[in-house]
């Protein structure tokens, strides 16, 4: 009864649906309790104070990163957000937006988030899956050629069950991921920090998830 009579408003909603990701221009896109309640998924500049973030676009449904701009669809229509000037321009139709992008010759930034839904998990899944697939094909081909004297079914079976093959696959996947990050940054500090951070993340993710599943298969 004391608990029922002394209820107070919660500081935030349940956190499982909260997310945010940085944009190439130094802003953020996401949906979390640090934002006002009437924004939904928003493009914003974060602030440490409650309701202190600067909101640029509210209720974003789809988005994609281009050079210096974020292009997508929100409740107000399809939009162009210039990350340098912080200006937002809405277009009557997607065709007009695409024509403007083509006329300015903007290049698509390296991500795959212009899908239905505003979460960026699709990009991460495809990105790491491709690293794993390329590494797998490289090492499988090498082992295949080194064991020509063995019959084909036995050759493949031994390769896949070889622990050294698994370690090679794991190492090449992590290294190729770090090499990709190295191409996306310009200054030396960012290169070092980017490689270090991404190597750690990739190594942990592949070790915790990939290796046990590989063993079970």
């Amino acid at each position: 009864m004391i608990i029922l009579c002394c209820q107070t408003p919660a500081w935030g909603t349940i956190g499982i649906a909260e997310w945010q990701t940085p944009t190439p221009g130094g802003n953020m896109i996401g949906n979390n309790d640090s934002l006002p309640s009437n924004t939904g998924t928003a493009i914003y500049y974060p602030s440490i104070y409650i309701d202190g973030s600067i909101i640029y676009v509210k209720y974003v449904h789809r988005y994609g990163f281009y050079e210096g701009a974020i292009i997508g669809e929100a409740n107000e229509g399809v939009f162009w957000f210039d990350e340098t000037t912080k200006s937002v321009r809405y277009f009557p139709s997607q065709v007009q937006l695409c024509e403007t992008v083509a006329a300015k010759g903007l290049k698509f930034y390296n991500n795959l988030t212009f899908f239905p839904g505003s979460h960026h998990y699709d990009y991460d899944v495809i990105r790491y899956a491709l690293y794993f697939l390329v590494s797998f094909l490289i090492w499988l081909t090498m082992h295949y050629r080194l064991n020509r004297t063995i019959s084909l079914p036995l050759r493949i079976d031994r390769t896949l069950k070889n622990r050294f093959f698994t370690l090679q696959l794991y190492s090449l996947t992590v290294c190729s991921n770090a090499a990709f990050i190295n191409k996306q940054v310009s200054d030396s500090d960012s290169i070092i920090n980017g490689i270090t951070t991404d190597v750690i993340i990739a190594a942990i993710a592949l070790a915790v998830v990939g290796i046990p599943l590989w063993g079970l298969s």
Side-chain angles (χ1 to χ4, degrees), residues 95-108:
V95 173
Q96 291 179 315
L97 171 61
C98 293
E99 288 176 350
T100 305
V101 172
K104 290 184 175 292
L106 288 186
K107 294 182 179 179
F108 190 58

Side-chain angles (χ1 to χ4, degrees), residues 27 39 42 66 68 89 106 113 120 128 149 152 163 182 191-192 206:
N27 298 293
T39 61
Y66 282 71
R89 179 183 175 187
L106 288 186
T113 50
H120 58 287
Y128 285 103
T149 57
L152 178 61
R163 293 182 179 179
N182 188 19
I191 292 175
I192 295 173
L206 288 167

Side-chain angles (χ1 to χ4, degrees), residues 130-215:
L130 288 176
Y131 286 134
F132 186 84
L133 176 61
V134 172
S135 303
F136 177 81
L137 293 176
I138 290 174
W139 285 120
L140 184 65
T141 302
M142 293 180 63
H143 281 265
Y144 175 86
R145 295 180 64 85
L146 289 173
N147 298 288
R148 294 180 180 178
T149 57
I150 308 174
S151 63
L152 178 61
L154 185 59
R155 194 185 316 175
I156 299 297
D157 188 59
R158 285 188 178 181
T159 299
L160 297 181
K161 290 181 178 180
N162 188 344
R163 293 182 179 179
F164 187 55
F165 174 79
T166 306
L167 181 60
Q168 289 174 322
L169 179 62
Y170 172 75
S171 302
L172 184 59
T173 304
V174 173
C175 291
S176 62
N177 185 53
F180 175 83
I181 290 297
N182 188 19
K183 296 294 184 181
Q184 301 304 309
V185 292
S186 54
D187 60 278
S188 57
D189 290 338
S190 297
I191 292 175
I192 295 173
N193 294 334
I195 291 177
T196 303
T197 302
D198 214 66
V199 164
I200 294 173
I201 293 174
I204 293 175
L206 288 167
V208 172
V209 179
I211 293 178
L213 291 178
W214 177 262

